[in-house]
């Protein structure tokens, strides 16, 4: 079975996933930072459920790098987010009908 999102082990030997990879896999349409801030409203705690990471990335259209925020998310939080997003998508489709 192929993993949809790469699972890594953090320094505390806990399984974590990359926040931006989860975001992409779930097909979220809003900006990553807006979406993640909304997910934090479900009472996830920084340094308990996730860790913020500043990454340097290459700009796609220019020859420069910039910093972006990403998150290492514990697997339990990632599962809860996936269930929340599925519920929202299902409810949203039923409400539109």
């Amino acid at each position: 079975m192929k993993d949809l999102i790469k699972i890594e082990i953090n320094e505390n030997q806990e399984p974590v996933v990359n926040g931006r990879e989860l975001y992409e896999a779930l097909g979220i349409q809003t900006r990553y930072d807006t979406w993640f801030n909304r997910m934090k409203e479900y009472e996830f705690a920084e340094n308990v459920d996730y860790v913020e990471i500043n990454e340097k990335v290459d700009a796609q259209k220019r020859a420069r790098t910039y910093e972006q925020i990403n998150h290492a998310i514990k697997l339990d939080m990632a599962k809860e987010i996936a269930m929340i997003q599925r519920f929202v998508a299902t409810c949203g489709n039923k409400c539109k009908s």
Side-chain angles (χ1 to χ4, degrees):
M1 182 176 165
K2 184 181 177 220
D3 290 335
L4 294 176
I5 302 170
K6 183 179 177 185
I7 299 172
E8 297 183 10
I9 303 299
N10 68 10
E11 62 277 354
N12 296 326
Q13 302 302 307
E14 301 164 313
V16 296
V17 298
N18 179 300
R20 289 186 180 268
E21 287 182 21
L22 177 63
Y23 166 85
E24 292 279 329
L26 293 172
I28 306 302
Q29 299 297 311
T30 58
R31 288 174 40 115
Y32 175 79
D33 57 342
T34 302
W35 169 77
F36 196 82
N37 285 333
R38 201 170 54 240
M39 292 302 101
K40 291 190 301 188
E41 292 174 6
Y42 290 98
E43 298 184 8
F44 296 115
E46 187 171 7
N47 298 321
V48 175
D49 299 307
Y50 66 91
V51 175
E52 190 171 288
I53 302 166
N54 289 314
E55 299 178 322
K56 289 190 183 221
V57 294
D58 293 325
Q60 294 177 352
K61 297 181 181 179
R62 297 184 196 143
R64 66 178 185 93
T65 61
Y66 64 94
E67 282 197 9
Q68 73 177 8
I69 294 175
N70 198 352
H71 299 88
I73 301 172
K74 288 187 183 175
L75 199 53
D76 286 341
M77 178 179 171
K79 289 177 187 178
E80 281 191 56
I81 287 174
M83 288 187 289
I84 290 165
Q85 292 299 151
R86 183 174 179 167
F87 175 78
V88 169
T90 302
C91 180
N93 290 336
K94 287 181 181 179
C95 293
K96 289 178 185 177
S97 301

